[in-house]
Amino acid sequence: MADDSKSDSRSEIGSYVAVGDSFTEGVGDPGPDGAFVGWADRFAVLLADRRPEGDFDYTNLAVRGKLLDQIIEDQLPKAAELAPDLVSFCAGGNDIIRPGTDPDEVAERFERAIARLTSAVGTVMVTTGFDTRGVPVLKHLRGKIATYNGHVRAIADRYGCPVLDLWSLKTVQDRRAWDDDRLHLSPEGHTRVALRAGQVLGLEVPADPDQPWPQLPPRGTLEIRRDDVHWAREYLVPWIGRRLRGESSGDHVTAKGALSPDDIKMRIESVA
């Protein structure tokens, strides 16, 4: 069975590679220069803080818009070559939200990737998809996402992978956890995921990712409808257009690559 709890080996992680798509690249969490930070970078800082200064290596290979097979082809060989103590692997979400995809078939390809990774690196942490019941358009895919999540957890059991379970992180169901595009997390949302990742590996984290949000005044029907119209015009229509043209948001994006945790920390503090 997968062990999501603390172990001595995981508390002494000296190198970490993040693999994935826009979620792991950090879209929705811009730094002072506009480049994204994101949960993986924030999580890397938590890991680095447990090591002597300068004794931690971190590389973020994630690129927005990438499908599972693209991640396997482009990012897995680099992650295996680096042979870090820890790899976070979040992939398949862009496949699942595409019409006509079969979550069972996507999971089969996901498992083959996990088999490759676990034979080449230390620990592989996998992530589930979010609960999308409150997300326009994506709420209709909730059952498909849940099916895929079931496969991810079963695969984690078979290969001994810790699971970053985003479905159970209820605090990210608050709209303040999401960027204006409603597809990517806000800085606070990314922060809460990073904290939960730390908990999964048994780290002492500086805040509780399940801490309730401050109460907001109720929103009127007119305000909600106005926000929905704005979202559809600014984000949904362009997203559909890219799909129809066969384009990806990551077509001309390169991975962030090797990053210094100290630099990440300064970028976070400068926009806090």
Side-chain angles (χ1 to χ4, degrees):
M1 297 290 291
D3 180 7
D4 294 356
S5 62
K6 175 168 57 180
S7 73
D8 290 340
S9 61
R10 291 174 190 166
S11 67
E12 296 300 328
I13 295 167
S15 52
Y16 166 44
V17 173
V19 171
D21 52 28
S22 60
F23 168 60
T24 302
E25 184 188 345
V27 174
D29 184 13
D33 54 358
F36 296 113
V37 183
W39 77 269
D41 292 9
R42 292 172 179 271
F43 175 49
V45 170
L46 292 178
L47 293 171
D49 282 347
R50 300 174 61 86
R51 306 284 298 182
E53 187 173 355
D55 187 28
F56 185 81
D57 295 317
Y58 169 56
T59 302
N60 191 319
L61 301 175
V63 176
R64 70 197 76 168
K66 295 304 181 183
L67 299 170
L68 175 59
D69 286 347
Q70 294 172 317
I71 292 171
I72 291 172
E73 180 180 354
D74 298 336
Q75 300 178 33
L76 253 64
K78 298 175 185 176
E81 182 180 356
L82 290 169
D85 297 328
L86 173 69
V87 168
S88 61
F89 185 76
C90 180
N94 287 326
D95 299 72
I96 294 300
I97 65 175
R98 292 200 168 199
T101 53
D102 179 358
D104 300 332
E105 187 276 331
V106 176
E108 290 177 1
R109 290 185 279 126
F110 182 92
E111 180 163 8
R112 289 195 290 271
I114 293 299
R116 285 176 54 187
L117 267 180
T118 53
S119 66
V121 307
T123 297
V124 179
M125 180 173 65
V126 299
T127 64
T128 69
F130 294 99
D131 185 349
T132 58
R133 61 181 165 181
V135 183
V137 181
L138 295 185
K139 64 183 178 182
H140 302 294
L141 301 174
R142 191 177 183 227
K144 195 174 177 183
I145 295 169
T147 299
Y148 187 62
N149 284 352
H151 283 300
V152 169
R153 276 205 160 274
I155 293 165
D157 285 346
R158 288 193 285 273
Y159 291 88
C161 301
V163 178
L164 176 54
D165 185 3
L166 303 176
W167 186 279
S168 68
L169 187 56
K170 300 302 182 184
T171 51
V172 297
Q173 292 174 6
D174 188 287
R175 61 187 173 89
R176 286 167 287 185
W178 294 87
D179 188 37
D180 290 342
D181 67 4
R182 304 184 184 179
L183 292 173
H184 300 101
L185 294 174
S186 67
E188 178 64 20
H190 278 285
T191 298
R192 289 179 183 247
V193 170
L195 293 169
R196 175 53 57 85
Q199 289 179 334
V200 167
L201 295 188
L203 307 183
E204 292 185 9
V205 295
D208 181 5
D210 292 310
Q211 180 178 353
W213 294 80
Q215 192 72 28
L216 282 177
R219 305 172 71 214
T221 302
L222 182 61
E223 181 184 2
I224 294 173
R225 185 175 301 160
R226 184 172 60 245
D227 288 349
D228 287 345
V229 169
H230 173 78
W231 169 77
R233 182 177 62 247
E234 296 296 323
Y235 300 104
L236 179 60
V237 171
W239 181 77
I240 293 174
R242 287 196 301 272
R243 293 294 174 269
L244 293 175
R245 294 190 298 271
E247 298 175 356
S248 168
S249 57
D251 283 344
H252 305 291
V253 177
T254 57
K256 291 185 279 190
L259 298 171
S260 162
D262 287 337
D263 289 343
I264 295 170
K265 190 180 300 186
M266 285 190 295
R267 296 180 72 234
I268 293 171
E269 291 172 350
S270 68
V271 295

